[in-house]
């Protein structure tokens, strides 16, 4: 599973983390960088795409406990070491044999690379992450005590639209050899979540169980909705009149018809109106739709409207709504 790149690349430095970084901090750092350099956020920017592949490669290794352990062991051997693959110009033995002996692999076969293409309206898998190309990278797999070798795992990644990730769907992937693989995307899959496809990885070289495909999911942002756990948030503009006097408004739902909500008189910006059961539906539960009220201020007023508004302002109590804020700031 290892690559000569492991001697030359400092994955901790790529992500800007220490070697003893926790899983939670690693995940948090990766998500921040992935959002910054994702191709969807930087269309046409080759440098950003290259950076995204680099940080994805680093994360795919460090986020997997077995790979991280092997990577740390490889790096501990020193960057000056050089190995050649079996049968190459460098001679016999080589890189694979070294790691076969180190981790009990025992010459269990050469690594393979897979190229995935996602069918339908979905993006191509940006799998693998070793070497910068779009391919899945074999990982994992070692001989247990007295048992056959498990086939190696293959890591890959894909980008899904917000609705597919929230509602779930069944998609078809295709390897470079033309073999179709059906993947069931569970409802409510989150950005950065991994989906393990049991038995879809490399076959065992000696009759053991096959490896898995570990698919990391990136979820595109939605122009209207955003995830909040199992809840969905949507910002809903209302007019000043609707907020002051009260009104019944329509609020969009994800993939369904709008629902009607009652805005109470005197509703301020930021108030959250809850629609039960219209959030993310998963096997673990169903969230709500959270409509966040935003009072919309008109940008253009006629002379007559300005005059009426000034008359209205004269009728209001002489008070400053910021008095409490200023007092708390002094304390």
């Amino acid at each position: 599973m290892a690559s000569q790149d492991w001697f030359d690349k400092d994955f901790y430095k790529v992500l800007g983390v220490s070697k003893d970084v926790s899983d939670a901090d690693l995940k948090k750092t990766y998500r921040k960088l992935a959002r910054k350099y994702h191709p969807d956020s930087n269309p046409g920017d080759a440098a950003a795409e290259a950076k995204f592949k680099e940080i994805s490669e680093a994360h795919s290794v460090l986020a997997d406990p077995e790979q991280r352990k092997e990577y740390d062991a490889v790096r501990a051997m020193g960057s000056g070491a050089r190995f050649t693959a079996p049968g190459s110009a460098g001679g016999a033995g080589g890189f694979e044999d070294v790691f076969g002996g180190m981790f009990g692999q025992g010459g269990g076969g050469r690594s393979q690379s897979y190229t995935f293409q996602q069918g339908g309206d979905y993006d191509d898998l940006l799998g693998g992450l070793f070497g910068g190309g779009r391919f899945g990278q074999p990982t994992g797999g070692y001989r247990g005590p007295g048992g056959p070798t498990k086939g190696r795992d293959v890591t890959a990644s894909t980008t899904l639209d917000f609705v597919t990730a929230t509602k779930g769907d069944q998609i078809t992937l295709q390897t470079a050899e033309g073999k179709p693989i059906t993947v069931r995307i569970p409802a409510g899959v989150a950005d950065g979540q991994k989906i393990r496809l049991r038995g879809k990885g490399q076959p065992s070289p000696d009759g053991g169980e096959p490896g898995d495909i570990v698919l990391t999911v990136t979820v595109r942002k939605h122009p209207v909705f955003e995830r909040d756990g199992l809840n969905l948030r949507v910002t809903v503009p209302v007019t000043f009149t609707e907020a002051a006097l009260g009104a019944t408004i329509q609020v969009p739902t994800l993939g369904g018809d709008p629902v009607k909500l009652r805005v109470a008189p005197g509703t301020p910006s930021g108030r959250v109106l809850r629609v039960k059961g219209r959030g993310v539906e998963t096997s673990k539960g169903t969230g709500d739709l959270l409509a966040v009220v935003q009072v919309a201020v008109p940008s253009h007023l006629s002379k007559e409207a300005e005059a009426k508004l000034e008359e209205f302002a004269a009728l209001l109590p002489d008070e400053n709504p910021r008095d409490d804020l200023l007092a708390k700031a002094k304390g």
Side-chain angles (χ1 to χ4, degrees), residues 38-53:
H38 196 281
D40 287 350
S41 303
N42 304 273
D45 189 336
E49 182 177 358
K51 182 66 175 178
F52 176 76
K53 292 178 180 178

Side-chain angles (χ1 to χ4, degrees), residues 52-202:
F52 176 76
K53 292 178 180 178
E54 185 180 20
I55 63 177
S56 297
E57 174 186 4
H59 177 259
S60 69
V61 174
L62 299 184
D64 186 301
E66 290 185 8
Q67 287 195 75
R68 183 172 177 178
K69 182 178 180 181
E70 294 182 25
Y71 171 73
D72 289 340
V74 170
R75 292 283 293 179
M77 296 172 65
S79 60
R82 290 292 184 270
F83 298 91
T84 56
S88 68
F95 198 54
E96 292 285 340
D97 292 341
V98 170
F99 283 90
M102 181 183 298
F103 297 105
Q105 197 66 14
R110 297 182 59 188
S111 299
Q112 298 178 9
S113 294
Y114 294 95
T115 299
F116 296 103
Q117 290 189 346
Q118 187 174 345
D121 297 327
Y122 310 110
D123 285 349
D124 291 345
L125 287 172
L126 302 178
L129 315 179
F130 288 112
R134 296 193 172 191
F135 56 91
Q137 175 66 30
T139 65
Y142 60 91
R143 184 184 297 277
T149 305
K150 179 184 177 181
R152 299 185 182 211
D153 291 348
V154 175
T155 61
S157 64
T158 188
T159 299
L160 299 175
D161 63 79
F162 189 89
V163 174
T164 299
T166 303
K167 299 290 188 179
D169 201 353
Q170 183 168 294
I171 63 176
T172 300
L173 313 179
Q174 191 171 28
T175 69
E177 295 79 13
K179 177 183 177 182
I181 300 176
T182 299
V183 181
R184 177 63 189 175
I185 302 297
V189 64
D191 184 59
Q193 184 172 332
K194 295 181 183 294
I195 300 175
R196 182 173 290 273
L197 309 178
R198 301 285 183 183
K200 301 296 185 180
Q202 285 189 316

